[in-house]
Amino acid sequence: MNVGVLGGGRMGAGIAHAFLMQGAPVVVVDPETAAAEERVRAALAGSVERGQTPGSTELTMSDDISDFADCELVIEAVPEDLTLKTDALRRIEATIAPGAAIASNTSSISIDTLAAALERPADFVGLHFFN
């Protein structure tokens, strides 16, 4: 399964790391690609130091949301702001194929509120990760 993560901050990098460890190729979209990549690579290096081997090292960094086109799951990991999240989710929805899953990593905004902003709410889920 190809996984996309929108946002390469601490949380987004951690989500990308988790999926890479499980063998999924990951695309991270963030305007600060170098910093985001550094966070993901540091997490992977920490796992290797602890004797854990990533299942995949297929990491693509981008600042272009259209790079999610082939992803079967895209997780938004942007800051906790309703307007920011709904805009991000709408941009993801417009980019990915019908039937691909869209997830939010929100910790405080209602999933129903976010789903209501989408054209395909049936493709949307809450998928929360803890840092």
Side-chain angles (χ1 to χ4, degrees):
M1 169 189 293
N2 293 327
V3 175
V5 180
L6 181 61
R10 186 183 315 174
M11 186 58 72
I15 293 168
H17 170 246
F19 279 98
L20 288 164
M21 292 302 293
Q22 296 306 310
V26 175
V27 176
V28 176
V29 173
D30 190 284
E32 297 181 21
T33 56
E37 182 172 13
E38 185 177 318
R39 284 186 281 275
V40 177
R41 299 261 181 228
L44 288 170
S47 292
V48 170
E49 286 175 12
R50 291 186 300 279
Q52 301 167 335
T53 303
S56 174
T57 56
E58 249 185 277
L59 174 64
T60 303
M61 303 303 297
S62 176
D63 61 0
D64 185 353
I65 200 163
S66 69
D67 287 331
F68 288 150
D70 294 328
C71 292
E72 298 158 278
L73 167 66
V74 178
I75 304 159
E76 114 359 71
V78 301
E80 289 292 302
D81 175 270
L82 179 60
T83 302
L84 183 62
K85 284 189 179 289
T86 55
D87 178 59
L89 292 167
R90 286 178 182 141
R91 290 187 303 131
I92 292 167
E93 183 179 47
T95 302
I96 63 175
I102 306 166
S104 176
N105 185 55
T106 188
S107 59
S108 63
I109 299 171
S110 164
I111 292 299
D112 291 335
T113 299
L114 294 172
L118 300 175
E119 297 291 321
R120 302 184 325 238
D123 293 341
F124 178 67
V125 297
L127 188 63
H128 189 68
F129 292 81
F130 293 91
N131 186 4

